[in-house]
Structure formats: structure tokens, C-alpha cells
Amino acid sequence: MSASLTEAAAFLHTLADGLGTPLNVVTPDQIAENAARFEAVLRRHRLGGGVFFAHKASASSALLRRLAATPSSVDVASLEELQHALACGFTPDRITATGPKDPAFRYLGARVGVTFHVDGQSELEALAGLVRDHGLAPVRVLLRLSGFPSAGVRRLVRRSRFGTPVADLPGLLDAVERCGDAVELLGVGYHLDTVSLDEKALALEGCVKAMDACRARGLRPRVVDIGGGFGVSYLAEAGQWEAYTTELIRAVLATRPPLAWGNHGYGLRNESGTLAGGLGLYPAYREVAGPAYLDELLAMRAPSLGRPLATLLLENLYDLRVEPGRALADQCGVTLARVLETRRDTEGGAGLWSVRLDLNAGDCPLEDHGILVDPLIVPRPRPDSGPGAGGRGTEEPRAGGPVAVHLYGNLCLESDLLTKRQVFLPRLPDPGDLLCFVNTAAYCMDFGAHEAERRPRARKVAATRAAGERDGAWRWCLDTQYWPLAVEAVAHHAGTNRQEEASA
Ligand SMILES: Cc1ncc(COP(=O)(O)O)c(C=O)c1O
């Protein structure tokens, strides 16, 4: 989806001319496709349950409204996300509340009847107190667990500051029983911040055992929630990632020119000619990511019980819930920035070119979110080149060969680099061209945005094509004005909502 969007040069320039840059463009139909792929994995393993989008990954209304029109659900982490999910069309039975919760978040969630993923005993008791004080219906809860022990060969399981250690489950279940008038135990779950399938398999098996412990007490849990963390592969070829990391090591060891600002090593160090430290980068290439990662996890044998994890769930008729954030927003958006100026770096950049952009590192914190993909140049179409089919520019490639550049933001700060990496472009861009940062919808376009120097945050628009028109022209509306309706109906709505337009 994003690939054909990035080819629509005239369309992207029209948007950037009208709305300025930085500009975020989201593609709501893509999130529906991604959700369907996750749902298909559950069905292939004949599991009930569902997909709960981790809303924190994107603030977009268009993505959430499009998702509300699919069978998928949503996982919210704040009062504001809960209000947004309700306003986008999710009914409370399709909403789970996770993470640290303040009283207002808890109150609204309990009042409308969402499911709560509770961190521990004190949260459970606070929730029960709220239900009793306000005479609410009992709330459904999932117990978030952590610290899953491994039998036999010890596996390293990352510590989490969230959830209740499995060792403390008996005390937590005592509390569930004491609060039986106010909470209904739906099941247990985890969210682990790791790419390791082994760690996830251990945790999933641990959850099945915890469900047994619940049932042994006469409780009737039926859901296991395995959180998110299915990942995205940002590169198409493993070789690209291997070549980059090999060259980065050589740069750190000074056997080739630097590949990053100040020969930054991303955790790698040169200690008297020996490589030290560890590479602290999200793997840009993932052999197995997204729905395929879920598929592989479910097919894995449980570390101590020995049977496939999906079979264990199926035998017990447990539903499985997943909470992908990054993986559901894969290919759901791009960030555009206008090139303001190019010039030769003299000092820190070691004679490279520097490209100054009309956005800053907060608008697009690539490295914080593991995006190590070089941006695309979207050339400004020449006056004589029409929009062409599908809004494509008819720009001829310009002169000049590939260049290594540093990308600078628009803030008056030495540290405002879009990425410390040298970025390799097929040619030096011209002022007025756009750089298109791809696959930024998950976290990148929303998590770090600020208004330093009173610069406005990026606007966000939703780009769509009419159903069945894969090669047709792109259409757009402001993110806040998108609804999954026929284009004419959206246009009517947009026309009646001037106030939103003015404030976007
Ligand atoms: C509880 C919970 N669920 C789901 C997610 C989504 O994780 P990801 O975006 O890696 O899929 C997070 C991310 O922090 C989380 O904390």
C-alpha cells in the first residue's frame, strides 16, 4: 500500500503544498488488511479469541475508525485512548484497558464495562472498591503475569516492571476470590518486550499452567492474552542488514570510514582494536515477524508440557487474545518532509553533504523506534509534468550519482539529526523535493512529536483508494475527518465540519 503511495509524486506534492510539512499520511485500509492476516492465523489454528490493536502505537483516528469496522478490537492504555476508542465506534466488549491506570481511566472503563488487564493485587482491589462504591456491574479482569520460571535448562527471561510474578499467583487468586462480588476473572496474560520466541513460548505455557491453577480453585477462566511484540521486518532482504552491520563493525574498528555521525557505534566500541559492547539496535530485518511470528509461536512445542502451544489452548477451549501494535500498523503510513537546503559539511560530517529538512527529530524519531530505512526522494514534478495515471509524477531522474548525507532537522539544536546514520540517497535532493520516510505509522509519527520553537506538529491525513481500485487515484481527507464510508459521504461530512478543519 505505502509502496504505491510513495510513487504518487504529484499527489504527495499537492498534499505537502497545501498542508505543509512535516506531514503524516496514513493508509487506513492497510490496517484492516493487517488485522485480517492476524485473525486468519487464529482461525488456522482453530482458536477463538481475537486481535486487540495496541492503540498506543498510533494516535490516528482514521486507523482506529477503519479498524472498528473490522472484527478486531482495541487495547487502550489511557483515559484519552479509551474515550477515543469509544468515539471511533468500538463497543466496550471490544476494548481492553492495560497498563498503569489513573482513577478517571478506571472509572470510565468500569462504568462502560471494558475488560481490565490488571497488574496486581492493589489494582484489583481498587477496581473492586470502585465497582462497589458506584454500584456498577462486576468488571471482567485478566491478570497480567510476569516472571515465568523455566524448568530444566534455564532460559533467560527478561524482568518486567509490570504484572504479578507467577510465584505470587496464589495470593493474587485469594484476592480474586475475596473480590468475587465485584470482578469476574476472564483469564490471564502477559506482554513481554522481547523478540525471543523461546521466552514467549515459556510465558504462554506459564499462562496455561496459571489457568489450571485458577480452575483448581473452582474459578472459570477462558481467555489467555499474550500481549503484543510480534514485530515488523523493515527490510526486505536479510543480506542488507548483514551488510550494514558488518560495515558498521568495520567503521567502529576504523577499518573503513565512519558510517554514522561522530563514528557512533550504536553500543559497539573499539577498545584498542578489539570490538566491545553490543549492538543496541532493533533488528531491521526479521526473518519471522507479524502474523507469521504468531503462527510460529502457536506451532511451537510447550517447553515442559511438550505439545504445540495451540493444541494446549484448544484442548482447554481457551480463547487467545493478541495485542499487536507495531505489527498492525505495518505499512500504514509515511512521513513527508520538504528539503530546505543542501550543503557540504565541513567539520563533523567529514566532507559529506548535509540535507536540512522541514521537520525535526521529534516529528520522526526513527532510531527510537527501530526504523533504519533510508528515506525516498519524491522529486518536485516539473511544471510541464502532469499528475499522470494515479497521480504519479512523470519526473525524469536528475543528474548526479548516489551520495551519503546527514539529515538535519529544523531546530536550532546541534543534536537535531533525524538519524545519526549516514543516509544513502540515489542523488543529492534539490530544495523543494520531498523526502518520504516510510513505514512510520507505528509509534514513530506520534510518540515523540512536540511543539518546540512553537513549530506546529505534523498534520495527519488519511489516503485511500476506492474499493477495487488498486491502481486508481489516491484520495485524501484530514485524519480527523475520515470515516469508513463511501467517498461522497465523507466529502459531505468534511464540508459540514469547518471547525475541525480549522483546528487540524
Ligand atoms: C500491554 C501491551 N500490549 C501491547 C503492546 C504493543 O507492543 P508492540 O507494538 O510491540 O506489538 C505494548 C507495547 O508497549 C504493551 O505494553
Side-chain angles (χ1 to χ4, degrees), residues 374-393:
D374 292 341
L376 303 170
I377 302 178
V378 183
R380 171 171 278 292
R382 296 207 179 109
D384 57 348
S385 69
R392 277 158 211 225

Side-chain angles (χ1 to χ4, degrees), residues 268-355:
L268 299 172
R269 299 188 307 278
N270 180 351
E271 286 185 359
S272 315
T274 304
L275 190 68
L279 188 63
L281 284 175
Y282 182 86
Y285 176 80
R286 301 266 309 260
E287 187 71 41
V288 182
Y293 184 101
L294 173 63
D295 199 23
E296 196 155 317
L297 176 66
L298 291 173
M300 278 176 82
R301 293 195 174 272
S304 70
L305 298 174
R307 290 198 305 292
L309 288 161
T311 309
L312 285 183
L313 294 167
L314 206 54
E315 281 172 354
N316 289 291
L317 298 181
Y318 293 151
D319 284 347
L320 183 70
R321 291 188 180 181
V322 294
E323 298 169 3
R326 189 190 287 261
L328 264 197
D330 188 18
Q331 299 294 343
C332 286
V334 301
T335 300
L336 300 175
R338 177 87 65 209
V339 174
L340 297 175
E341 178 189 46
T342 59
R343 67 175 176 189
R344 272 263 184 223
D345 264 345
T346 40
E347 289 175 18
L352 301 183
W353 284 89
S354 62
V355 175

Side-chain angles (χ1 to χ4, degrees), residues 38 52-57 75 77 98-99 117 144 162 190-194 200 225-231 282 322-328 442-443 447:
F38 269 99
F52 286 67
F53 175 51
H55 187 347
K56 69 189 72 167
D75 157 46
T98 60
H117 214 157
R144 181 164 172 178
F162 300 109
Y190 66 84
H191 167 77
L192 290 181
D193 188 14
T194 173
K200 298 256 171 94
D225 184 329
I226 60 171
F230 302 96
Y282 182 86
V322 294
E323 298 169 3
R326 189 190 287 261
L328 264 197
Y443 299 105
F447 243 66

Side-chain angles (χ1 to χ4, degrees), residues 96 115-118 141-144 186-188 223 225 321:
T96 302
T115 296
F116 283 83
H117 214 157
V118 296
V141 295
L142 291 160
L143 306 177
R144 181 164 172 178
L186 194 60
V188 303
V223 171
D225 184 329
R321 291 188 180 181

